[in-house]
Amino acid sequence: MPVIPIHIDSDAAAFLCFFFFVAMFALIGIYIADKRGDTKVGGFLAGLLLGPVGLLILLLSGSPCAYCKRRIHSKAVKCPHCLSILAGGNAEQELTDAPS
């Protein structure tokens, strides 16, 4: 069976390479956002529109947990990693709004 060579011009190759990297940044953004408890759409848009800068923003945003020191959502009540109840975020508001 003969092998038919496929010729791709340099413009098409550059477009495919660009599309591949943009898609990879978007997928990595979805993964990071899902692991941190953020919305997947936000992670997708950060990876798609900002590329590696968006991924760094996703990784470095938030505040560290007081117990395990891993980055969590800044308004988190409970750490998704060590399952500790946090004193900051919405916890104080929920305690004051609770019926007596």
Side-chain angles (χ1 to χ4, degrees):
M1 183 169 198
V3 176
I4 301 172
I6 299 174
H7 297 285
I8 299 176
D9 62 346
S10 61
D11 291 338
F15 175 75
L16 288 175
C17 185
F18 174 76
F19 180 75
F20 173 76
F21 280 111
V22 168
M24 290 306 300
F25 287 134
L27 292 174
I28 293 170
I30 291 172
Y31 176 77
I32 292 172
D34 185 44
K35 288 296 181 184
R36 293 195 58 235
D38 294 333
T39 63
K40 293 179 184 178
V41 174
F44 173 79
L45 291 175
L48 182 72
L49 300 176
L50 300 176
V53 175
L55 297 181
L56 284 174
I57 291 171
L58 282 174
L59 286 172
L60 299 177
S61 65
S63 57
C65 172
Y67 301 100
C68 67
K69 305 298 183 210
R70 293 179 69 182
R71 294 228 174 249
I72 56 172
H73 195 276
S74 58
K75 294 182 180 179
V77 176
K78 186 177 182 181
C79 177
H81 307 290
C82 67
L83 304 176
S84 300
I85 303 296
L86 304 172
N90 293 334
E92 295 173 7
Q93 182 182 3
E94 289 179 5
L95 290 176
T96 58
D97 292 343
S100 300

